[in-house]
Amino acid sequence: DATVYITPTTDITLSAADSLSGVMKTEYRIDGGQWLNYAAFTLPSEGAHVIGFRSTDNLGNTEPENTIEVITDNTPPVSSVNIGAPQYSANGNTYIGGNTEITISASDAGSGIGRIEYSIDGSPVAVYGSAIILSAYPEGAHVITYRSSDNLGNTEGDKALSVVLDNAPPSTSISIGEPKFIAVSGAYYITKDTVFTLAASDNLSGISKTEYRIDSGEWVSYVPFKADVEGN
């Protein structure tokens, strides 16, 4: 849109030429204010401004006022992070899987987003381009640091996302109650009153559910159960 964005430290310079009597003075003004004798200047006040400028030759001939509109932008962007599925939060931790997508976005009301950067566990900073996944990283805690900069180089402070990568399934064990008989062959003999119990453990995100099925039947949510069938 041809909008010119600057920072409060951007130097603004004017130059003038006259092919006959020469330039006597160059002046400028900001937002229709008082005319000032020219020296390189800056615009510390954030927002839109109109710079007027003109020159006068040594005979007093003064050119019509020229103007340029600029926007002073001293505000860094604001970035945010989104965690896809699967994810699970408990006890102040956010657990993710190896294929969980972590995306970073940023917004800027001024000159626009120049780049988004990130680092994983203190690695060299990389330019963000697509969703981050941690499938190649070891299980456990990881920290993703991220930030964004606008097209003038205004950069927000580092932000951090802590996650716990959990790629391993739980471990489940079965216990067979009484009455039971274990044959020399290792086969278990039970009655219809024998109770089966399951115990599951997981050292990261924890147990979401435990299920069982009998003879390749439908999976059922676990509560202690009895086989209640004859045969193997």
Side-chain angles (χ1 to χ4, degrees):
D1 59 3
T3 302
V4 177
Y5 292 91
I6 63 174
T7 75
T9 61
T10 301
D11 284 331
I12 300 169
T13 58
L14 302 174
S15 60
D18 187 87
S19 61
L20 295 174
S21 63
V23 176
M24 179 178 70
K25 65 179 179 179
T26 298
E27 302 170 294
Y28 74 96
R29 64 178 179 176
I30 299 170
D31 298 330
Q34 180 182 359
W35 285 103
L36 303 171
N37 288 325
Y38 166 69
F41 61 96
T42 59
L43 291 177
S45 176
E46 191 158 22
H49 300 282
V50 176
I51 302 170
F53 55 97
R54 66 187 183 187
S55 292
T56 303
D57 69 14
N58 287 296
L59 290 175
N61 297 310
T62 301
E63 69 178 322
E65 180 180 6
N66 300 289
T67 61
I68 182 173
E69 296 185 13
V70 298
I71 297 177
T72 304
D73 178 5
N74 195 38
T75 303
V78 177
S79 59
S80 59
V81 68
N82 180 70
I83 305 173
Q87 62 162 293
Y88 172 71
S89 296
N91 303 318
N93 293 320
T94 300
Y95 297 90
I96 64 171
N99 293 319
T100 301
E101 292 189 347
I102 299 171
T103 55
I104 305 172
S105 60
S107 60
D108 185 82
S111 59
I113 302 301
R115 67 183 182 278
I116 299 174
E117 300 171 306
Y118 72 98
S119 170
I120 301 174
D121 298 333
S123 64
V125 173
V127 175
Y128 173 78
S130 59
I132 301 167
I133 59 173
L134 300 182
S135 56
Y137 286 78
E139 282 200 315
H142 298 281
V143 177
I144 299 172
T145 305
Y146 58 99
R147 67 189 181 197
S148 59
S149 302
D150 67 15
N151 286 300
L152 290 170
N154 296 313
T155 302
E156 68 178 330
D158 288 355
K159 296 180 175 178
L161 170 68
S162 296
V163 295
V164 179
L165 177 62
D166 182 359
N167 259 341
S171 176
T172 307
S173 60
I174 188 169
S175 176
I176 304 174
E178 299 294 341
K180 67 174 178 283
F181 171 72
I182 306 174
V184 175
S185 63
Y188 282 81
Y189 291 87
I190 61 171
T191 74
K192 64 180 183 179
D193 295 320
T194 302
V195 175
F196 292 81
T197 56
L198 301 175
S201 62
D202 185 89
N203 64 348
L204 289 174
S205 61
I207 303 300
S208 171
K209 63 181 178 180
T210 299
E211 301 171 298
Y212 73 94
R213 64 179 179 176
I214 299 173
D215 296 332
S216 300
E218 293 293 327
W219 286 102
V220 179
S221 293
Y222 167 70
V223 293
F225 62 94
K226 301 176 183 178
D228 202 20
V229 292
E230 290 274 352
N232 295 327

